[in-house]
Amino acid sequence: MRLRTDHTQATAAAKGGLSIATARRIDRDPRPPNAKKLGRSYRTRPDPLVGLWDEEIVPLLQAAPGLRPITLFDELARRYPDRVGPSFRRTLERRVADWKALHGSDQAVMFPQIQQPGRMGLSDFTEVSGLGVIIDGQRLEHRLYHFALACSGFEHAEVVLGGESYPALASGLENALRLLGGVPREHRSDSLSAAFRNLTKLDVDDLTQRFEALVSHFGMVATRNNRGVAHENGAIESRHGHIKTRIAQALLLRGSCTFDHLEAYRAFVAEVVGQHNRRHAAMIDAERSVLRPLPAAPAMTWEEMAVRVTSASGFMCRHVFYTVPSRLVGHRLHLRIHDDHIDAYLGGSFVLTLPRARRAKGAQPVHVVDYHHIIAALRGKPGALANLAYRDALWPRTAYRRAWEALTATGPTRDAARTMVGLLALAHDRGVEADLATAIDATLEAGELPDLAALRHRFTPTATAAPEISVILPSLASYDRLPGRRNLL
């Protein structure tokens, strides 16, 4: 426009790098584009809602403001099938959105919060079975215990095999705080049944005794969000999706979702979370400096139960039968129940650790059986194996189950029971469970049945006589002839 005062339209356009058409348009209206009126003030087609909007749709919205456009579309299509078509829906959606903005009810408002260092740590559980992790050939149904600091973003996650139980919550919180090296002033969660009794009382009055003791041990104040309002726990809820994505991406980089054992998968998850914490190391270190010190003693992170060992050399715990050594029959054991294992004590003496199992609602009975516990008794009663209630859980490896099926398919069950008890006794006495399983598999693959006598001969070491050793003691006088003897005297 400055060039236009001294030059012709064509010259000014050329020097300004514009076309003649653009120069003409600028001459007609010199306003910038953002100052010009946008959009049309006229319709390009008839309003499809004429006769329906004020008469039908608005009364429905006034009576039930929560109605969605698709619901209204389906209802109008039912009432007026000849008038309502596919192009009707988009117009209806725009008009309903405008009406709700002008006349609808108030919506929930998210209030941004300022997170103070050292103030709040949060705990929650999140389901991650959809990751498709495979352990020992079986899909792992599991969830994560997830802890985070609201300010710095420190995170800790642990694989949980059961539900949202107190042992999983307490153990995860204990490990997270020990790893962090300090304690925040406040612990936040939703209405976990492991922490709150959910009796519509104040948080301080509604805590379970176990969780109250746990937070008191660490010197924290326990709080929770309102029931059913998950976004009030947004500092942990929003992180659930992020940690799942990080683990899923790490599995893609790894190239496989299969792990040899559970501990390998636990280490994998810990490494993924550790990488996240290393990226936020500066902020985490700054918040760590204002955390309260940890108590010296560890917290009680387990549930307790007392059981009596029955004549079946086992006990029931949470609808699951566990075997123990038969010498404990009749004794009362004190159990410490963790998320993935059970520690058994006789009085104050530790006895053994058992892997924890769970029985799904409506499922068949579950047995956790160790053949080492009962093999001595089975030797005296091998016939009991045939109809043993937990026989299928007794086999330590697949090869032993295959041998039982092959023996019962070709011969009397009584003889098969004697052979299998002999094989289990051999594995127990000689410590050759894995090698014996390999030999059984090879025999079955060759189309033969296991020969107990031959396997006993193969895995029993050959007795050999001890070698004769002749020891000749020199005379004491020979020591007088040693070099340097006189110098020593």
Side-chain angles (χ1 to χ4, degrees):
M1 294 301 293
R2 289 194 300 271
L3 293 171
R4 187 71 178 88
T5 60
D6 301 324
H7 299 82
T8 63
Q9 188 181 75
T11 302
K15 287 188 174 185
L18 304 174
S19 66
I20 297 296
T22 301
R24 293 195 192 101
R25 187 167 65 250
I26 293 174
D27 275 345
R28 287 195 302 267
D29 188 354
R31 292 179 302 167
N34 59 359
K36 299 177 181 179
K37 185 177 180 180
L38 301 177
R40 302 186 296 265
S41 60
Y42 58 90
R43 285 188 173 275
T44 59
R45 66 186 179 91
D47 184 2
L49 299 181
V50 171
L52 294 177
W53 177 254
D54 293 325
E55 294 79 0
E56 301 275 353
I57 301 173
V58 170
L60 289 174
L61 289 173
Q62 290 174 339
L67 286 173
R68 299 174 59 195
I70 185 61
T71 306
L72 294 170
F73 175 79
D74 291 339
E75 177 62 18
L76 293 173
R78 184 186 66 82
R79 296 182 184 183
Y80 307 100
D82 297 333
R83 182 173 176 180
V84 177
S87 61
F88 187 93
R89 177 177 173 179
R90 185 70 187 105
T91 302
L92 178 63
E93 289 174 345
R94 287 196 302 268
R95 197 74 61 84
V96 169
D98 292 342
W99 185 91
K100 289 187 176 182
L102 295 173
H103 309 288
S105 58
D106 292 337
Q107 299 188 37
V109 177
M110 306 299 174
F111 297 100
Q113 301 289 300
I114 298 175
Q115 300 295 349
Q116 301 173 357
R119 184 179 72 89
M120 182 181 290
L122 304 99
S123 291
D124 200 8
F125 294 87
T126 182
E127 182 69 34
V128 289
S129 298
L131 293 174
V133 175
I134 305 297
I135 305 292
D136 195 23
Q138 299 290 329
R139 182 186 177 93
L140 184 65
E141 300 293 332
H142 67 297
R143 64 189 69 199
L144 291 180
Y145 165 78
H146 194 190
F147 175 86
L149 287 180
C151 182
S152 63
F154 168 85
E155 292 188 28
H156 177 72
E158 291 190 1
V159 176
V160 176
L161 302 181
E164 299 178 0
S165 63
Y166 172 79
L169 172 62
S171 177
L173 181 59
E174 163 88 10
N175 294 336
L177 296 180
R178 296 290 172 185
L179 180 63
L180 181 59
V183 180
R185 297 190 298 274
E186 179 181 337
H187 178 269
R188 181 87 164 183
S189 69
D190 57 14
S191 299
L192 295 172
S193 59
F196 295 92
R197 292 177 292 177
N198 298 316
L199 300 177
T200 65
K201 294 182 179 181
L202 296 176
D203 293 348
V204 68
D205 298 325
D206 201 29
L207 289 174
T208 63
Q209 293 181 355
R210 297 173 302 181
F211 191 68
E212 182 180 8
L214 180 68
V215 294
S216 298
H217 175 79
F218 288 110
M220 295 186 296
V221 176
T223 63
R224 60 179 171 183
N225 61 298
N226 292 312
R227 296 184 195 177
V229 190
H231 65 76
E232 292 185 356
N233 248 11
I236 188 71
E237 292 285 352
S238 62
R239 288 182 167 92
H240 287 341
H242 299 320
I243 194 172
K244 292 179 187 179
T245 300
R246 290 198 298 270
I247 294 175
Q249 290 294 302
L251 288 172
L252 290 176
L253 284 176
R254 185 175 180 267
S256 172
C257 294
T258 301
F259 295 84
D260 294 335
H261 47 80
L262 181 60
E263 292 307 315
Y265 176 54
R266 291 186 191 271
F268 173 81
V269 172
E271 176 60 25
V272 172
V273 178
Q275 289 179 0
H276 166 80
N277 289 334
R278 284 191 289 272
R279 288 196 299 270
H280 298 80
M283 296 179 61
I284 294 173
D285 290 340
E287 184 167 16
R288 185 180 281 123
S289 64
V290 299
L291 295 175
R292 296 179 178 179
L294 282 165
M300 178 178 172
T301 59
W302 57 83
E303 293 179 301
E304 293 186 332
M305 177 183 291
V307 295
R308 186 171 296 279
V309 181
T310 67
S311 58
S313 190
F315 60 85
M316 293 293 297
C317 176
R318 305 285 173 81
H319 310 290
V320 177
F321 178 80
Y322 297 85
T323 61
V324 295
S326 57
R327 62 180 179 272
L328 296 173
V329 169
H331 288 277
R332 191 174 183 84
L333 297 180
H334 296 278
L335 307 181
R336 292 183 177 180
I337 305 172
H338 301 264
D339 177 64
D340 57 355
H341 69 279
I342 297 175
D343 294 329
Y345 291 80
L346 180 61
S349 301
F350 172 76
V351 178
L352 79 167
T353 296
L354 298 168
R356 185 177 175 184
R358 292 172 174 83
R359 179 181 178 182
K361 187 175 182 179
Q364 294 295 320
V366 177
H367 305 91
V368 177
V369 180
D370 188 339
Y371 72 97
H372 296 288
H373 296 160
I374 59 172
I375 188 61
L378 270 179
R379 282 172 169 165
K381 301 178 180 179
L385 180 65
N387 298 308
L388 188 61
Y390 50 79
R391 185 192 63 221
D392 293 338
L394 181 65
W395 314 125
R397 296 174 186 266
T398 306
Y400 296 87
R401 176 184 56 78
R402 294 180 60 205
W404 168 257
E405 293 173 352
L407 289 169
T408 54
T410 57
T413 301
R414 185 179 183 84
D415 294 342
R418 290 183 179 277
T419 300
M420 290 308 304
V421 170
L423 292 175
L424 292 175
L426 179 62
H428 170 76
D429 295 339
R430 301 301 178 187
V432 292
E433 178 186 306
D435 294 336
L436 181 57
T438 302
I440 292 173
D441 277 331
T443 301
L444 294 175
E445 292 297 332
E448 302 176 358
L449 296 176
D451 187 336
L452 179 58
L455 291 172
R456 279 176 176 168
H457 178 74
R458 176 177 173 179
F459 289 100
T460 301
T462 305
T464 57
E468 294 184 3
I469 300 175
S470 177
V471 179
I472 302 175
L473 299 176
S475 64
L476 296 178
S478 62
Y479 288 98
D480 294 335
R481 296 192 295 271
L482 290 176
R485 172 66 177 171
R486 293 183 179 180
N487 294 335
L488 292 176
L489 294 175

